Amino acid sequence: MRGVEGRFCEEFSPAYYGLCTVGGMLSAGATHLAITPLDVLKVNMQVNPIKYNRMGTGFSTLWKEQGPSSLWRGWSGKLFGYGVQGGCRFGLYEYFKKLYSDALIDHNKSTIFFLSSASAQVFADVALCPFEAVKVRVQTQPYFAKGLVDGFPKLYSAEGITGFYRGLLPLWGRNLPFSMIMFTTFEHSVDLIYRKFMQRRKEECSRAQQLGVTCLAAYAAGAVGTVVSNPADNIVSSLYNKKAANVMQAVKNIGLINLFTRSLPVRITLVGPVVTLQWFFYDSIKVLCGLPSSGGLSRRLEEANLSAE
């Protein structure tokens, strides 16, 4: 396969997947670090909804009772945990999308997107889970630990290796639907924008135009994915803080309506811009390396889809 002049690497090469992994780590880690105060508030609203019942008063309560530093509690878990998760999510998504697009020629695009995002997210959450277990405790239990360095050994001594993966199933329950909906919505939004609004192929658009399309598609994807994943996000916080012994008890304690509504406004405020920034930083790295922005399948599958329609 002949390389393209000006590109850092050829698409679908080992170097390409490595670049996507690094790009995912940098974009996810940086954006999640930036919104740590919102994440601290979100987790406390889920664990103690009576005390932290609104965004404005919640921030004020945290500031008055625990000081301004409390808003940045768990920052290391956000930076490193979600950095590792982002690297796996984006890097493996690119790998699985190519793998499934070559293997499932006669299947529609949505099937490829669902399978690729789900496969990548399974591995991404296994990598994230230990960081998330420590982060949630640090954010909601002021005297548990200061961060990852002292949090990891303390959690291990108290609960063993199972303590790090207590929330893996609910984490999958939250992140698998979110990732599947988010990536699929992003891909279809990109396709829609280029076909109906830009009316040009991606390759014919400038870098700035490509990144603009990325941001629009990413915000739509983040908003839709947030609503779908909100129930599982509440269950995860409840289990990590021992408010319930299992998923069914957590659902009973929280209540069906609250599963969908508790902390939803702050999550929408949090996730929409975060997903948009992640895709923007991720695609910026790709286009600066001479690669096209994200969205779309291999040309081979595109031609198969067109011929099937």
Side-chain angles (χ1 to χ4, degrees):
M1 185 181 293
R2 187 171 61 186
V4 178
E5 185 178 357
R7 287 189 175 182
F8 172 78
C9 58
E10 185 55 59
E11 283 187 276
F12 314 122
S13 66
Y16 172 76
Y17 295 124
L19 177 68
C20 292
T21 300
V22 172
M25 291 180 67
L26 293 175
S27 61
T31 51
H32 276 282
L33 174 64
I35 50 85
T36 297
L38 280 171
D39 187 62
V40 172
L41 176 62
K42 180 209 74 171
V43 172
N44 279 279
M45 289 177 71
Q46 292 171 333
V47 174
N48 194 346
I50 297 177
K51 184 176 183 178
Y52 303 98
N53 55 6
R54 293 197 302 271
M55 289 181 63
T57 57
F59 276 124
S60 177
T61 301
L62 283 169
W63 186 287
K64 290 178 181 178
E65 293 187 358
Q66 301 179 33
S69 62
S70 66
L71 298 177
W72 291 96
R73 191 174 290 133
W75 68 267
S76 56
K78 297 288 286 181
L79 175 63
F80 297 108
Y82 283 89
V84 171
Q85 186 207 40
C88 294
R89 174 190 281 177
F90 284 97
L92 289 175
Y93 175 73
E94 298 283 359
Y95 172 78
F96 282 119
K97 186 167 73 168
K98 177 64 165 62
L99 178 68
Y100 291 136
S101 68
D102 288 342
L104 304 174
I105 297 298
D106 296 328
H107 290 70
N108 62 39
K109 296 179 182 180
S110 295
T111 300
I112 305 298
F113 301 147
F114 274 126
L115 288 174
S116 302
S117 55
S119 299
Q121 194 65 48
V122 166
F123 292 99
D125 283 348
V126 171
L128 168 67
C129 203
F131 295 92
E132 184 77 353
V134 175
K135 177 192 75 72
V136 172
R137 288 170 172 81
V138 168
Q139 291 178 334
T140 58
Q141 302 171 25
Y143 301 105
F144 175 76
K146 293 182 178 180
L148 295 179
V149 175
D150 54 339
F152 271 120
K154 188 170 184 179
L155 180 57
Y156 180 77
S157 64
E159 302 183 32
I161 194 68
T162 58
F164 293 109
Y165 289 96
R166 182 186 303 276
L168 181 58
L169 290 179
L171 202 61
W172 277 335
R174 178 188 74 183
N175 290 344
L176 278 171
F178 174 82
S179 186
M180 294 167 70
I181 294 297
M182 187 269 287
F183 275 102
T184 303
T185 302
F186 175 83
E187 295 275 8
H188 284 298
S189 296
V190 167
D191 179 65
L192 177 67
I193 293 170
Y194 280 116
R195 283 192 299 106
K196 299 296 185 181
F197 298 98
M198 304 297 290
Q199 297 183 346
R200 283 181 290 171
R201 295 181 60 85
K202 182 199 307 182
E203 294 77 10
E204 298 171 354
C205 297
S206 66
R207 289 180 175 180
Q209 290 173 327
Q210 290 185 36
L211 291 176
V213 171
T214 291
C215 290
L216 290 173
Y219 194 85
V224 174
T226 299
V227 175
V228 172
S229 64
N230 200 62
D233 190 61
N234 280 299
I235 293 172
V236 168
S237 293
S238 180
L239 290 175
Y240 276 141
N241 284 277
K242 299 183 179 179
K243 299 290 184 178
N246 53 57
V247 173
M248 293 307 297
Q249 185 180 343
V251 172
K252 183 178 179 180
N253 292 346
I254 298 170
L256 187 61
I257 295 177
N258 285 335
L259 276 176
F260 288 90
T261 59
R262 181 177 293 175
S263 75
L264 183 60
V266 71
R267 284 198 74 222
I268 291 177
T269 303
L270 186 106
V271 176
V274 166
V275 171
T276 303
L277 286 172
Q278 280 185 23
W279 279 106
F280 174 74
F281 290 147
Y282 175 68
D283 270 0
S284 293
I285 292 172
K286 291 176 71 173
V287 299
L288 287 174
C289 291
L291 295 163
S293 60
S294 299
L297 297 167
S298 64
R299 181 67 59 84
R300 177 183 167 191
L301 185 59
E302 293 282 6
E303 291 173 351
N305 276 309
L306 288 173
S307 63
E309 292 177 352

